[in-house]
Amino acid sequence: MTSRHWTGLCKAKKADEYVQYLRSETFAHLKTLDGFIKAEIHQRKITEGVEFLIVTFWQSGDAIKSFAGPLPNVAVVPKVVHDMMVTYDKYVRHYEVYNV
């Protein structure tokens, strides 16, 4: 299993809207893809806004490519999300997951 990690700093007033977008659009789409396992939203309030860590879990690198395309390390950030963010990662990090 592989996890995909992305962070973004959201405008404080847009944080609830961002979570709703993730649930209704992004995660709804991911659930239709073969090899997608689950997603998590981690958030914390900081002085500049609300920091999000989005972690998705996949069965394989090929499954990630079904979402991210041929360059799986490039973040997939829709235009509507750009407007909610102060700053965000342009690239993601992938980790092999070992259950203990």
Side-chain angles (χ1 to χ4, degrees):
M1 177 171 37
T2 302
S3 64
R4 178 180 171 91
H5 297 236
W6 176 87
T7 57
L9 177 59
C10 188
K11 299 170 186 172
K13 293 181 180 182
K14 296 287 189 173
D16 290 340
E17 182 181 346
Y18 178 58
V19 170
Q20 179 58 34
Y21 180 84
L22 284 172
R23 289 181 172 150
S24 65
E25 299 294 329
T26 303
F27 296 160
H29 172 65
L30 294 182
K31 289 176 183 178
T32 69
L33 302 176
D34 288 337
F36 172 74
I37 298 170
K38 71 174 186 171
E40 298 175 343
I41 301 171
H42 303 250
Q43 72 178 58
R44 67 183 183 133
K45 293 180 182 176
I46 61 175
T47 304
E48 301 84 2
V50 179
E51 182 180 64
F52 284 92
L53 167 62
I54 307 304
V55 182
T56 56
F57 296 84
W58 303 84
Q59 291 177 353
S60 68
D62 286 339
I64 292 170
K65 287 180 183 177
S66 72
F67 166 65
L71 300 173
N73 292 329
V74 175
V76 178
V77 185
K79 175 66 173 131
V80 65
V81 173
H82 293 196
D83 297 336
M84 297 178 198
M85 296 291 153
V86 175
T87 187
Y88 57 87
D89 292 344
K90 305 295 189 263
Y91 296 92
V92 301
R93 293 159 310 284
H94 294 107
Y95 298 89
E96 290 302 314
V97 177
Y98 298 93
N99 293 315
V100 295

